[in-house]
Amino acid sequence: MIEAKELTFSASQTELLSSFNMSFETGKIYALIGHNGSGKSTLLKLLAQQQQPSSGNVYLNQKPLTSWPLKQFAQQVAYLPQHTPDTSSLSGRDLVSFGRYPWHGLLGRLTTKDKQYIEDAMKLTNTLKYSDRLVDTLSGGERQRIWLAMLLAQKTQYLLLDEPLSALDIAHQIDILNLIKKLSRELNLGVIIVIHDINMAARFCDHIVALRNGTMIASDSVENIFSSEQLQKIYGIEMHISQHPTGHPIAIPY
């Protein structure tokens, strides 16, 4: 379990996250929603040990993150930033193989077990066909699948994803979210995802966490978040709630 206790982060005398408290379990998908600048990415970076909090603590399996060596932490938590690193001259399989770095080091030789994990990750994400393709030649949706395969090759408990849908069209957004939901269920992964579309969050996520100006203003199941009162509190506009034929709620601004 990942637990945040009184988590606060400030930069240039501005508080970007204030006294955040919450636990994240494996096997569930958590959506982080809210206006731009609400603290979503800041929170994700703190949970991923990409930044250090100004105060408060994050615990992984009841142990403070400061007590986890970075390699051991990366064996438990995988993080995908909003802006991914340069992949020039990397093939799909090369990129996925980087997921094994926390287990043997950057220059360590891949073992038979490592190669099997890479193969399994690419099968799960249907990316074996991109093994020899240069990552930079793939479409946005194909690249996101390869990055997800790399995270799966890490064999972690958690995936932390910062706006993985931002550069994708609607078809690829649904494709990637279907894949994330499938992987969470099959592998018992805890997934924390920054997402802007509240209706996508309702369709694919189990729990919604809403932030505004660095403060958590709501944290509940999709069913409980989807009321006109709650959504107006989160977004500041009136919304009509209706039901999609698949059963999940939809919010439509007036």
Side-chain angles (χ1 to χ4, degrees):
M1 180 181 290
I2 294 177
E3 298 174 88
K5 295 185 178 180
E6 294 298 318
L7 199 58
T8 299
F9 182 78
S10 299
S12 301
Q13 299 183 328
T14 300
E15 194 167 74
L16 302 179
L17 190 72
S18 176
S19 299
F20 182 89
N21 292 279
M22 188 166 171
S23 297
F24 300 91
E25 302 173 8
T26 55
K28 290 186 177 181
I29 303 176
Y30 298 84
L32 302 183
I33 67 168
H35 295 291
N36 289 337
S38 61
K40 305 181 299 295
S41 292
T42 296
L43 172 59
L44 204 68
K45 288 175 183 175
L46 293 171
L47 298 179
Q49 216 173 0
Q50 298 295 305
Q51 292 177 332
Q52 296 304 311
S54 301
S55 62
N57 284 293
V58 180
Y59 298 84
L60 174 62
N61 300 334
Q62 301 182 326
K63 182 178 172 182
L65 292 197
T66 51
S67 299
W68 283 86
L70 288 178
K71 263 194 179 183
Q72 289 183 18
F73 177 76
Q75 293 170 7
Q76 303 296 321
V77 177
Y79 168 68
L80 185 65
Q82 182 179 353
H83 302 291
T84 52
D86 179 53
T87 54
S88 298
S89 304
L90 284 179
S91 70
R93 188 175 291 273
D94 287 339
L95 179 57
V96 177
S97 70
F98 285 170
R100 299 308 300 158
Y101 166 71
W103 298 90
H104 63 71
L106 190 59
L107 300 178
R109 300 187 64 148
L110 293 174
T111 65
T112 301
K113 180 185 276 190
D114 289 324
K115 292 176 182 177
Q116 187 60 57
Y117 287 149
I118 292 165
E119 187 83 4
D120 292 345
M122 298 189 80
K123 284 180 181 176
L124 283 168
T125 53
N126 193 27
T127 53
L128 280 171
K129 55 193 171 186
Y130 310 134
S131 293
D132 299 320
R133 289 272 304 275
L134 291 177
V135 175
D136 288 354
T137 68
L138 301 175
S139 71
E142 292 166 347
R143 279 198 302 272
Q144 286 300 75
R145 278 183 168 263
I146 282 286
W147 280 106
L148 282 173
M150 187 202 75
L151 300 186
L152 291 180
Q154 276 184 242
K155 302 295 288 184
T156 61
Q157 293 182 304
Y158 288 90
L159 305 182
L160 277 52
L161 311 174
D162 194 353
E163 296 193 42
L165 312 178
S166 60
L168 304 182
D169 59 46
I170 186 68
H172 282 108
Q173 288 181 25
I174 291 172
D175 178 56
I176 291 298
L177 286 171
N178 271 318
L179 176 60
I180 289 169
K181 187 170 185 176
K182 175 176 178 285
L183 294 172
S184 175
R185 299 295 185 261
E186 291 182 0
L187 304 177
N188 195 38
L189 294 171
V191 179
I192 308 173
I193 179 171
V194 174
I195 188 169
H196 282 288
D197 190 325
I198 185 65
N199 292 317
M200 288 290 196
R203 180 172 174 179
F204 293 100
C205 301
D206 304 299
H207 193 104
I208 294 177
V209 182
L211 296 169
R212 173 175 279 182
N213 297 326
T215 299
M216 182 168 69
I217 59 174
S219 174
D220 215 325
S221 64
V222 171
E223 293 75 16
N224 290 334
I225 289 289
F226 263 70
S227 70
S228 297
E229 296 78 15
Q230 277 280 42
L231 291 179
Q232 184 168 24
K233 180 182 174 184
I234 295 167
Y235 291 106
I237 59 173
E238 291 188 41
M239 291 193 178
H240 171 71
I241 310 298
S242 64
Q243 203 76 9
H244 190 275
T246 59
H248 65 273
I250 297 177
I252 304 169
Y254 281 116

